[in-house]
Amino acid sequence: MSEAALPYDQVVFSGGGIRCFWHGGWVTTVTEHHPLRPDRIIGVSGGALSAAAWIAGTERRLLDVMCDAFADEDANVSWHDLNKEDGLTPHQRVYCEVVETVIDAEAQERISGGPAFQVFLARPPDNLLTDLLSWLGGSAYELEKSFASRSQSQWSPRFGLKGEHVDARAAARDGRLAELVTIAATIPPVFRIQDWDGAPAIDGGMVDQSPMPEPDEGPTLVLLTRTYDDLPIAEARDFVEPSEPVVDHKIDFTEPAKLHQAWRLGENDAAAWLEQRRGPTGEET
């Protein structure tokens, strides 16, 4: 590994379902050559799991465990799951089992002693219309993507969705990080809405796919899982996007090969990013 650490005080892991395995390939490849020691890390949606696995040093274990789980699923909708409390599909059950396996007591201990780590949630209104407004907010977010390619939603907040930063390191100290990471990926109605600290919480990516940590200070590396035409303009903020669409159907839980596909693309994009940093003279820029 090179002695030159990458100059980032903050790292952001965006969401994107199984596309987030691009994160694993990218980060493991880059850090083979350069240390990456941010003071603050934030993850949103599936990026919360990517971030937790990276901090704990279990990225490849996550890949293996998720692949094994997908190998046991032959459909994204099953009659077997319709009457369970885990949503309308196998997704919440499978995701929860994987997260609890990978973010075990040992991983939580590592994370609790690591850098500042936050998970970005979305809070829907807490009333009789929570389920409906969560679904409408999520639908607005998905529809908005068809008309505007931006990482920060302008439509979902109209249905009462608000972003919130949660101290994931504190959750790890309390033994609740697996619960938090699972809730961070809640997409209604595919996932059943759950409470975090007494109020409903869902996928924060419906509000912002590139949230900054709190406090927001210093050079920031933002790892996206898709390309956007409209990204927030800010100094000292580097956005890294996949060179091509990572996978189709970001919540297809039946094909382990798609996880490997996302990982390999992350590796290739990381190699290209490192080469670009070296420049034509071969020296770091």
Side-chain angles (χ1 to χ4, degrees):
M1 180 184 289
S2 168
E3 292 299 321
L6 293 172
Y8 296 109
D9 296 332
Q10 307 183 137
V11 177
V12 178
F13 289 82
S14 69
I18 64 173
R19 293 197 303 259
C20 291
F21 280 86
W22 179 91
H23 290 146
W26 197 94
V27 174
T28 55
T29 300
V30 165
T31 53
E32 287 175 359
H33 302 274
H34 294 278
L36 182 56
R37 304 189 185 101
D39 297 321
R40 289 169 297 283
I41 299 166
I42 187 168
V44 57
S45 188
L49 179 55
S50 298
W54 178 56
I55 298 167
T58 58
E59 303 100 323
R60 293 188 184 276
R61 184 182 182 217
L62 171 60
L63 176 63
D64 292 340
V65 172
M66 191 74 86
C67 284
D68 289 345
F70 281 18
D72 293 334
E73 300 297 323
D74 55 12
N76 285 303
V77 178
S78 71
W79 291 108
H80 175 71
D81 285 277
L82 286 178
N83 294 323
K84 291 189 175 182
E85 295 182 353
D86 295 330
L88 303 179
T89 71
H91 294 82
Q92 191 162 19
R93 168 179 55 81
V94 172
Y95 198 75
C96 183
E97 291 170 355
V98 169
V99 171
E100 289 181 348
T101 299
V102 176
I103 305 180
D104 55 15
E106 183 179 353
Q108 292 191 86
E109 183 176 358
R110 293 178 188 167
I111 291 167
S112 66
F117 175 30
Q118 297 169 338
V119 167
F120 187 76
L121 300 178
R123 293 286 197 179
D126 187 5
N127 54 42
L128 294 177
L129 298 178
T130 293
D131 287 356
L132 175 61
L133 292 172
S134 296
W135 179 79
L136 289 173
S139 299
Y141 161 73
E142 292 293 338
L143 182 62
E144 182 179 10
K145 290 193 298 185
S146 302
F147 292 92
S149 178
R150 51 181 170 241
S151 64
Q152 297 175 325
S153 176
Q154 296 180 7
W155 293 11
S156 64
R158 298 176 184 177
F159 294 92
L161 297 189
K162 297 180 180 180
E164 180 178 320
H165 293 71
V166 176
D167 186 344
R169 197 166 49 174
R173 289 194 292 269
D174 294 339
R176 300 179 63 201
L177 183 57
E179 177 189 357
L180 174 60
V181 168
T182 301
I183 289 174
T186 297
I187 307 171
V190 176
F191 284 54
R192 175 176 55 87
I193 299 175
Q194 302 176 74
D195 283 1
W196 176 259
D197 285 349
I202 59 176
D203 188 330
M206 297 178 185
V207 174
D208 193 346
Q209 286 286 4
S210 58
M212 293 297 107
E214 292 182 345
D216 176 12
E217 299 173 348
T220 306
L221 176 67
V222 184
L223 300 177
L224 302 171
T225 62
R226 53 167 293 189
T227 59
Y228 293 94
D229 296 331
D230 185 2
L231 289 168
I233 298 174
E235 293 183 4
R237 192 175 298 181
D238 290 344
F239 291 92
V240 181
E241 301 171 314
S243 59
E244 60 185 67
V246 180
V247 295
D248 57 355
H249 305 302
K250 68 178 182 178
I251 56 171
D252 182 354
F253 276 24
T254 65
E255 296 188 41
K258 289 186 177 180
L259 304 181
H260 287 285
Q261 175 187 338
W263 188 282
R264 285 194 299 271
L265 181 60
E267 291 177 326
N268 294 337
D269 287 346
W273 187 82
L274 289 169
E275 187 64 29
Q276 185 178 28
R277 279 181 56 85
R278 293 188 184 97
T281 64
E283 297 181 357
E284 292 290 334
T285 57

